[in-house]
Amino acid sequence: MITQRELFIRHVAQTSPFPLALEIERAEGCYIYDTSGKKYMDLISGISVSNLGHCHPEVVAAVKEQVDKYMHVMVYGEYVQSPQVQLAELLASVLPASLSSVYFVNSGAEAIEGAMKLAKRCTGRKQFASFKNAYHGSTQGALSLMGDERLKQPFYPLLPDILSLRFNQQDDLQLITDLTAAVIVEPIQGEAGVVLPVSDFLKKLAERCAATGALLIFDEVQTGYGRTGRLFAFEHYGVVPDILCLAKGMGGGMPLGAFISSAKLMSFLSVNPELGHITTFGGHPVCCAAGYATLRIILAGDMMNMVQQKEKLFAERLKHKRIKNIRVKGLLVALELENFEQNKKVIDACVKNGLIVDWFLFNMKSMRIAPPLIITKEEIIKSCDIIIDCLNV
Ligand code: PMP
C-alpha cells in the first residue's frame, strides 16, 4: 500500500529535495508526536510560531468558541467583528501611542507587502532600503528586500530601486536620502543567525530616517511576541518604528499577521484609491480569536521575566569546545559551529534523539534554537544535554 510519506512526496509541492518528512500525529506543549509514537521536543517552535507551545488549551478553547459563532463573513474591513476589534484594541494598549491602527493580514510576507505599499502612499516615494542577510518573506515585494542574491537572482525582475545596506554599519546610513520611502529592518536579524544591533545603531538609523523623511519599518515577524524577552524587540533599544510588522507567534498557531502604524499614516490606505489594499482572509475571526487569547496569555503572567532567566540557562549550559560562538536574545539562540557539514551532522543527531533543531537560512553553520517560551528549566537542561551529547558525535 502506498504510504502517506509517498503521497506527500508525490502530491504536496516540495520546497527542497530533502524534506524532514516527520509524519505528525499530534502536538502539545513543547512536544510533537509522530505516527510511530516517537516524541520530539520542538526546539524551534515551528519556526518561532508556537511561542505558547503547541495547542495551548486557552487558544484552542478560543478557536472552538469562535468557530461555533461564525467563521468567514466578509472581506476584512467591512464588518465589525469583535475578535478583530478586541485584538486591535489590546495591541494598541500595549504599544506606543503612535502604533494604534492595526491592519490584519495572513502572514509575515503580507505584513511587509502592506507596509511597503503604505510607505509609498505616505511619502510619495518609490525607493526602499533593506539590509544584507535580511529575510522579509517570499512574495515578490518582500523578496526584493531580501539581503541575499542567491535566493533572489532566479526570480528577477523584482522591484527596482532597493538600497542594500550593511547591518550595524553606520556609514551606510548616509545612503538613505529624501528619495527613500522607507527602511525595513529586523531589529535583531533572525535568518542571518541572530545578529544583534550594536550599541546605538537602531537609534542612528531612526535619526537618519527622521532627517530624510523616510519611514522606519521594523520587521518583528520573528522577534515579536516575547521571543527576545520583551513583548517586542524594539523595546530593548528605545526606538519606536513608524510601522511595525508582526506575524508568526501572533496567532498562537493560527495564520495571522499585521502591520501597525498611526491612524494618520494608515488613513492613506483608505483613499486615493479607495480599497487600495484589501484582503479576503486577513483578520479572519478565528485567527483573531486565537490571537486575542495568545496576547492575553503572554501579558497575564510573568512570561517575559521567565524568558530572560531561561536565556541565561541556555547560555550557561551550551558550552562545548566545538561551539565557536553563541548569540542569544531571549529564547532566540544561534549556536555557531565550525561549518555547515558539522552543524548538519549535529542537527541530524539531535532529531534522531528526539530534539528538533535547525539551521538559519543565511547562516548555515549556526544551529537555530527557538523553543516555545513556556519551556521549563528542566526541559532546557535536558535539551542542552542532548545537544552537548550530539556535539560529541
Ligand atoms: N520576516 C521575517 C523576519 C521572518 O522571519 C519571516 C519568516 N521566516 C517573514 C518575514 C515571512 O513570514 P511568512 O513566512 O509568514 O510570510
Side-chain angles (χ1 to χ4, degrees):
M1 202 184 77
I2 193 155
T3 64
Q4 281 280 311
R5 192 178 192 286
E6 284 162 340
L7 288 170
F8 164 75
I9 301 287
R10 191 181 296 175
H11 295 299
V12 178
Q14 298 293 304
T15 56
S16 86
F18 311 108
L20 193 52
L22 294 183
E23 283 190 48
I24 308 300
E25 178 71 27
R26 66 187 184 89
E28 189 183 347
C30 290
Y31 299 97
I32 295 177
Y33 301 82
D34 76 9
T35 46
S36 74
K38 185 168 171 182
K39 179 178 172 180
Y40 297 85
M41 196 191 291
D42 182 0
L43 224 59
I44 58 172
S45 310
I47 315 244
S48 300
V49 169
S50 310
N51 289 7
L52 295 180
H54 294 276
C55 296
H56 189 288
E58 287 173 49
V59 177
V60 172
V63 166
K64 287 183 174 164
E65 199 184 318
Q66 183 56 39
V67 165
D68 281 340
K69 288 186 192 154
Y70 60 92
M71 294 197 282
H72 177 78
V73 282
M74 161 72 147
V75 59
Y76 168 69
E78 291 300 325
Y79 294 165
V80 180
Q81 303 181 36
S82 72
Q84 286 177 357
V85 176
Q86 284 178 314
L87 176 53
E89 190 199 11
L90 186 58
L91 274 166
S93 76
V94 295
L95 284 166
S98 58
L99 295 172
S100 61
S101 180
V102 182
Y103 193 116
F104 290 113
V105 292
N106 303 286
S107 66
E110 278 180 73
I112 297 293
E113 298 288 340
M116 291 176 82
K117 282 176 70 180
L118 178 59
K120 278 180 164 172
R121 279 289 290 110
C122 294
T123 62
R125 305 175 187 177
K126 300 180 177 71
Q127 180 186 76
F128 288 94
S130 60
F131 289 87
K132 304 236 184 276
N133 285 336
Y135 184 80
H136 298 292
S138 264
T139 53
Q140 294 193 72
L143 186 62
S144 305
L145 302 171
M146 185 189 281
D148 178 89
E149 280 304 313
R150 189 183 63 87
L151 282 177
K152 270 162 79 158
Q153 281 264 333
F155 302 102
Y156 279 153
L158 295 169
L159 284 182
D161 212 359
I162 309 283
L163 299 173
S164 182
L165 312 179
R166 289 171 302 165
F167 194 68
N168 280 337
Q169 293 292 325
Q170 267 194 41
D171 292 352
D172 283 17
L173 301 182
Q174 293 311 313
L175 297 170
I176 302 164
T177 66
D178 59 7
L179 293 175
T180 315
V183 182
I184 295 105
V185 66
E186 300 163 85
I188 295 166
Q189 287 197 308
E191 295 309 315
V194 191
V195 178
L196 306 180
V198 292
S199 55
D200 54 358
F201 180 69
L202 293 176
K203 277 211 171 117
K204 293 275 178 239
L205 170 60
E207 280 165 22
R208 183 68 189 162
C209 286
T212 55
L215 296 181
L216 181 57
I217 301 175
F218 271 14
D219 177 344
E220 292 231 31
V221 168
Q222 184 146 205
T223 54
Y225 273 79
R227 175 57 51 200
T228 69
R230 303 293 286 266
L231 187 55
F232 302 106
F234 73 77
E235 297 171 27
H236 293 289
Y237 303 108
V239 174
V240 176
D242 298 298
I243 307 175
L244 176 66
C245 294
L246 303 173
K248 287 196 183 277
M250 185 180 185
M254 296 292 281
L256 181 62
F259 57 101
I260 305 177
S261 190
S262 65
K264 185 170 165 228
L265 291 188
M266 203 61 95
S267 68
F268 278 91
L269 280 188
S270 55
V271 289
N272 301 324
E274 280 172 24
L275 308 181
H277 193 69
I278 47 178
T279 163
T280 299
F281 288 127
H284 191 284
V286 179
C287 302
C288 283
Y292 183 51
T294 300
L295 188 53
R296 279 200 332 253
I297 298 161
I298 293 182
L299 294 173
D302 196 20
M303 202 176 277
M304 293 308 100
N305 272 332
M306 294 303 290
V307 169
Q308 288 166 21
Q309 290 176 27
K310 292 171 188 178
E311 163 184 346
K312 288 201 188 90
L313 190 56
F314 266 112
E316 272 163 35
R317 306 291 296 198
L318 289 172
K319 294 212 167 95
H320 189 279
K321 62 177 186 309
R322 287 201 160 138
I323 298 173
K324 300 283 166 217
N325 192 7
I326 173 166
R327 293 177 297 276
V328 196
K329 196 73 176 172
L331 288 177
L332 190 57
V333 184
L335 208 62
E336 189 176 314
L337 304 185
E338 183 74 40
N339 51 38
F340 173 63
E341 288 66 37
Q342 189 181 81
N343 194 21
K344 174 87 168 62
K345 218 165 110 191
V346 179
I347 290 169
D348 289 348
C350 285
V351 174
K352 214 166 142 207
N353 283 286
L355 192 72
I356 299 178
V357 286
D358 199 0
W359 61 83
F360 293 91
L361 204 52
F362 305 138
N363 193 331
M364 295 169 75
K365 65 179 176 185
S366 293
M367 182 189 291
R368 179 199 304 269
I369 301 173
L373 309 184
I374 55 149
I375 190 170
T376 63
K377 292 188 175 161
E378 292 68 35
E379 286 167 329
I380 293 177
I381 291 170
K382 192 174 163 207
S383 61
C384 290
D385 287 349
I386 296 177
I387 294 169
I388 297 293
D389 276 353
C390 293
L391 277 163
N392 288 325
V393 186

